[in-house]
Amino acid sequence: MKTTDTPPPVDRVEGRPRVTKTPAAQKKAKSSEGGVLNVFSHGVLILWAIMVVLPLLWAVMTSFKDDDSIFSSPWSLPDKLHFENWSRAWSQAHMSDYFGNTLIVVGFSLVGTLVLGSMAAYVLARFEFPGNRFIYFLFVGGMSFPVMLALVPLFYVLNNMQLLNTLPGLILVYIAYSLPFTVFFLTSFFRTLPTSIAEAAFVDGASHTRTFFQIMLPMAKPGLISVGIFNFLGQWNQYMLPTVLNTDPDKKVLSQGLVELATSQGYKGDWSGLFAGLVMAMLPVLAAYIIFQRQVVQGLTAGALK
């Protein structure tokens, strides 16, 4: 007996045959749609990268020009590298003092934020006790509290504690300012870590303190690096808090120094020194993100991979 192939399924709509698409045709249609979407998304990403990178490159290029070249040919390359702009901004504009004060404040506040925030987040994520959720939502509520409403109370609190216009007072304020987001972020991260390792440590006789610092904290390294980068960016670029709480000229941080430099150079016309100081302030932030970008992505996606 002679056999024939089964014809493709035929639907009839209003008396006319309609042949349904084969799997190969459907796959081809989906691939074409996906190709159009990829082209659009890549185009948007390229446009966004250009909008972000070009101003940075222009600022770096301008920092090596003299003042006449900045106004006569702002988009051209410098005729030679004027490194004296950087030395002038570093010494005469006191950028070295502002830079040192910022490193002290951000360094100590970042360490304090990560230590206190990780300890609070670990307890809230791993232990059940009365008021656990209430304390957690207090930290979450602190993220929505406008910092401008706290400026006047903070001023009087630091003044009463004899910490106004001091670097330790600014460090404590930075820690309190960064704790809500740190606890919120790390609480979710600690919940994704396996509990079997901590239970094995308890069985072997380890205390809660030893389990946290020697076992759980190293496992939370991606999350610590991620939240540390975000806190570093926020604290390094903070301007409102030090402007109100730190008015001593010898203890000003980098953001205050840049504003003062821009104000003073606006009358003197030393724009090359201003751009050199601006690039000095940007370099640590760019370096930190470039070095830890992989850890930042791992920390952000760790909760979704569980």
Side-chain angles (χ1 to χ4, degrees):
M1 177 181 286
K2 189 175 181 180
T3 60
T4 57
D5 295 334
T6 303
V10 178
D11 296 335
R12 290 188 176 275
V13 178
E14 296 180 357
R16 293 175 298 176
R18 183 182 64 186
V19 180
T20 59
K21 292 183 179 180
T22 61
Q26 294 177 356
K27 184 177 181 181
K28 184 177 181 180
K30 291 182 179 179
S31 63
S32 62
E33 294 176 359
V36 174
L37 183 60
N38 288 334
V39 171
F40 177 76
S41 61
H42 282 78
V44 172
L45 291 176
I46 292 174
L47 179 62
W48 179 258
I50 293 174
M51 294 173 60
V52 172
V53 173
L54 277 184
L56 297 179
L57 294 179
W58 182 79
V60 174
M61 180 184 67
T62 307
S63 67
F64 291 102
K65 290 183 176 182
D66 55 8
D67 293 332
D68 295 334
S69 300
I70 292 176
F71 291 98
S72 60
S73 55
W75 303 108
S76 63
L77 295 175
D79 53 353
K80 66 175 184 178
L81 299 180
H82 295 270
F83 289 102
E84 64 272 11
N85 300 338
W86 289 61
S87 61
R88 189 170 62 253
W90 184 259
S91 58
Q92 298 180 10
H94 306 289
M95 293 297 294
S96 58
D97 299 333
Y98 303 143
F99 206 90
N101 293 336
T102 305
L103 286 178
I104 293 174
V105 172
V106 175
F108 281 99
S109 61
L110 191 60
V111 172
T113 301
L114 292 180
V115 172
L116 297 177
S118 61
M119 294 171 66
Y122 176 74
V123 173
L124 293 175
R126 292 291 181 175
F127 298 96
E128 293 293 338
F129 56 88
N132 181 299
R133 303 301 296 172
F134 177 74
I135 297 175
Y136 173 76
F137 285 117
L138 278 181
F139 281 107
V140 174
M143 296 172 55
S144 61
F145 189 80
V147 66
M148 291 184 294
L149 297 180
L151 290 178
V152 175
L154 282 174
F155 181 88
Y156 285 106
V157 168
L158 292 182
N159 189 30
N160 294 332
M161 297 175 63
Q162 304 298 322
L163 292 176
L164 193 64
N165 298 327
T166 63
L167 296 184
L170 201 59
I171 291 171
L172 293 177
V173 172
Y174 276 19
I175 293 175
Y177 173 77
S178 305
L179 269 180
F181 173 74
T182 304
V183 173
F184 170 76
F185 186 95
L186 291 180
T187 300
S188 302
F189 190 87
F190 275 118
R191 288 172 180 167
T192 64
L193 299 180
T195 59
S196 57
I197 300 178
E199 293 174 353
F202 290 140
V203 171
D204 292 339
S207 62
H208 290 289
T209 303
R210 185 176 181 182
T211 301
F212 171 73
F213 283 104
Q214 294 187 0
I215 297 176
M216 303 304 296
L217 203 58
M219 292 174 60
K221 181 180 177 181
L224 291 174
I225 293 178
S226 299
V227 75
I229 290 295
F230 288 123
N231 285 328
F232 173 77
L233 296 177
Q235 295 174 2
W236 187 270
N237 298 321
Q238 181 61 241
Y239 174 70
M240 186 176 300
L241 290 175
T243 300
V244 177
L245 306 175
N246 184 33
T247 57
D248 189 346
D250 295 332
K251 296 182 175 60
K252 287 186 176 182
V253 296
L254 199 56
S255 57
Q256 296 173 283
L258 284 176
V259 174
E260 186 172 344
L261 179 62
T263 304
S264 61
Q265 301 308 327
Y267 298 101
K268 297 179 182 178
D270 189 7
W271 296 100
S272 56
L274 174 61
F275 278 98
L278 179 64
V279 176
M280 289 180 188
M282 292 191 305
L283 287 180
V285 178
L286 293 176
Y289 183 77
I290 292 174
I291 294 174
F292 297 106
Q293 59 178 336
R294 181 175 298 178
Q295 287 82 356
V296 171
V297 175
Q298 291 177 355
L300 293 176
T301 58
L305 296 176
K306 183 176 172 61

